[in-house]
Amino acid sequence: MVTVLALTACTSGTSSDPVVGSATAGGVVGTAGGGGTSAPSSGTPTPTGLTPEAYRAELDKARGPIREALKKLDATGGKGLDERLEKTVASMEEAVARLEALMPPPEVRTAHGAYAGALRRLVAALSAAQEDVRAQEVCTGPAVLTGVQEAGQLSPVRESGNALADLGDYRADVVPVKVGKERSRRLSNGKYINSEGRPGRAYLELKNGNSRDAVVVLVRGKKKAIRVYVRKKSKFRIQGVRDGNYKVYYTLGTDWDSKDRSFTRSCDFEQFGKSVRFRTVRTSTQIRWTDWTITLNAVKGGTVRPKRIKPGEFPG
């Protein structure tokens, strides 16, 4: 015999796509000139700039921090992305400012100017991306880099760096990562990202009426027992859920990155507003258990209010 309980949910009204549910149990080149003034009568020569060797050394001082910052940004997922991007911008800003203050050898001044300018525009693009990260429109480091590439700010850095290198073996390759195009990757509906054994009798049905795909995580105690993918406008039933009390978390978004275990764009993170308990009762004559149904979208008349959480709080 199956025991059926019921809960309803209310909308929070905090976004255009609220995640509220119901549950039913069952990154200026200096010039040598002085602004048009004539040379001193003493015949002091106009400065000619750094020697090629000294210039190479200065390029390397800037190259290292920029490459390291971009590597760290690309290699990380969504947790703490805002803070990491801020550190990337600060590190690159300092390095580019050093380049802009240099007096390079005369034969490379034009190329140096193009290189420093391209880097400055890249820093500006990364700085602007911070707003999208805060709004969770961009959710991973690789997605940030894809965005600035799509905006045309990475190719000029590579091209100007190559042009500078051709003039004297100057190392100016500062983009050490491969940046992909914008994608919209999805898993199949009901795909388990991970799951413990499911020997129980109960089921948990998940309904996603939202306009974005979802990943649902069931946590029992400290154990992330089940992670499952539920496509938009779809439902899926997890069969054989073990007895216990579960906290239910879910993230909605676009383009699932399986490596980072995160959506790369338009992501939200929620914790369902009520723990769900699965219990099996055996008597001499019968076995009873509890089934649940959870709806991830707003439902009229609902009473279960979800808790909006930070990306770092999501058990991904």
Side-chain angles (χ1 to χ4, degrees), residues 160-224:
S160 61
N162 290 336
L164 188 57
D166 290 342
L167 295 177
D169 194 25
Y170 298 110
R171 297 203 303 172
D173 53 322
V174 293
V175 183
V177 299
K178 182 178 180 180
V179 180
K181 296 181 179 180
E182 185 174 281
R183 303 167 68 181
S184 295
R185 293 162 289 184
R186 306 171 74 190
L187 299 181
S188 58
N189 187 56
K191 172 70 175 179
Y192 287 104
I193 297 170
N194 76 280
S195 174
E196 64 179 7
R198 301 186 304 279
R201 294 178 176 270
Y203 70 74
L204 171 62
E205 185 161 280
L206 302 167
K207 295 182 177 181
N208 181 15
N210 294 288
S211 60
R212 291 169 292 168
D213 291 357
V215 168
V216 181
V217 182
L218 276 64
V219 177
R220 187 182 65 253
K222 295 182 179 181
K223 182 180 179 60
K224 302 165 190 174

